[in-house]
Amino acid sequence: EDVAKLPVRMYTSNTEGKKKPIYNNSLLSVMTKGFNDETDSMTGIATLMQWLLTYQNAYCEIAKNSAGQMQWFLINPSRVQVHRDQHTGKLYYTVESTTDLDRQQKKTRNIRMEESEILHLKGAIGNGVLGYNMAEVAGQSLGISMAAQNFTSSFFGNNLSIGATLETPRALDADVKQAIRKEWKKEFGGSGNSGGMAILDR
């Protein structure tokens, strides 16, 4: 809504870079007076921004009315797929259209639209042709985090890790082993005792 409230200005510039304002233009009329007879400009721009932030893609059909004036018609991104023509290399769009034949039956078909017939706004995160759906990106990030957490917990839960070993040429009973272990931990355990010097006899 904040973006939709911003004023829209249109300019043309000459070869010297001097700007001159334009007041009578069909594109400016769409952006300021209304996308079409049923959608005002603020609603249209706010909707495009909402789709851009969630789907990272926003679409409008570019059409003309009987008087030859430009009109935009919003198309929900969930209905649009982007393709590349194998022969020409140009992009084209298929838009899912549903027709109600009666209350219990619906007919769905895909309508092909050329690149010149579609206004396609792409988010900053994408491959240049399509913006990446932020819900999918967030889901992938969450999945990676969960996998890392599961791996870490499994690693530390199953891993047998030994920090240091002391060797002696003779056999020691359990009490002596425990006493040495306790003394060694007391002397060198904790971050405050790290890096101390150990003297190993025999």
Side-chain angles (χ1 to χ4, degrees):
E1 290 177 351
D2 288 336
V3 172
K5 293 175 187 175
L6 296 175
V8 178
R9 301 285 185 269
M10 188 172 288
Y11 299 89
T12 182
S13 58
N14 57 20
T15 55
E16 299 175 355
K18 292 183 179 180
K19 292 182 178 180
K20 181 181 178 181
I22 299 175
Y23 301 105
N24 186 17
N25 181 278
S26 58
L27 177 59
L28 182 62
S29 178
V30 166
M31 297 287 289
T32 56
K33 296 180 181 178
F35 279 22
N36 53 65
D37 294 338
E38 298 177 350
T39 307
D40 61 87
S41 297
M42 183 167 177
T43 301
I45 295 172
T47 304
L48 288 176
M49 285 303 303
Q50 181 184 359
W51 286 343
L52 192 60
L53 293 172
T54 50
Y55 292 94
Q56 286 288 291
N57 294 280
Y59 303 95
C60 272
E61 177 187 357
I62 303 172
K64 290 185 178 181
N65 61 16
S66 57
Q69 297 170 327
M70 181 186 294
Q71 291 185 318
W72 286 357
F73 293 92
L74 296 165
I75 306 174
N76 192 298
S78 63
R79 296 170 48 213
V80 182
Q81 289 187 339
V82 184
H83 310 272
R84 188 179 296 280
D85 192 293
Q86 296 181 353
H87 302 290
T88 64
K90 293 183 178 181
L91 297 178
Y92 69 92
Y93 299 81
T94 55
V95 180
E96 185 182 88
S97 176
T98 303
T99 304
D100 290 326
L101 299 178
D102 53 46
R103 291 184 178 180
Q104 297 180 351
Q105 186 180 5
K106 289 185 178 181
K107 184 178 180 181
T108 301
R109 64 190 182 99
N110 290 330
I111 300 173
R112 173 168 172 157
M113 303 187 72
E114 302 304 323
E115 200 170 4
S116 59
E117 299 176 293
I118 292 283
L119 169 69
H120 180 190
L121 302 179
K122 299 180 280 286
I125 303 174
N127 59 9
V129 175
L130 270 175
Y132 293 152
N133 189 314
M134 293 309 295
E136 294 179 3
V137 172
Q140 291 173 4
S141 300
L142 183 60
I144 292 171
S145 299
M146 291 175 65
Q149 183 177 3
N150 290 337
F151 172 79
T152 304
S153 119
S154 173
F155 177 82
F156 286 109
N158 300 324
N159 185 49
L160 295 176
S161 180
I162 299 174
T165 15
L166 300 178
E167 294 184 4
T168 176
R170 62 189 180 86
L172 302 175
D173 60 36
D175 292 338
V176 175
K177 285 181 181 179
Q178 185 62 26
I180 293 174
R181 189 179 292 110
K182 187 181 294 184
E183 185 65 25
W184 187 268
K185 188 174 182 179
K186 176 183 175 183
E187 192 70 24
F188 302 108
S191 59
N193 297 326
S194 63
M197 180 183 293
I199 300 175
L200 306 179
D201 199 8
R202 293 187 297 276

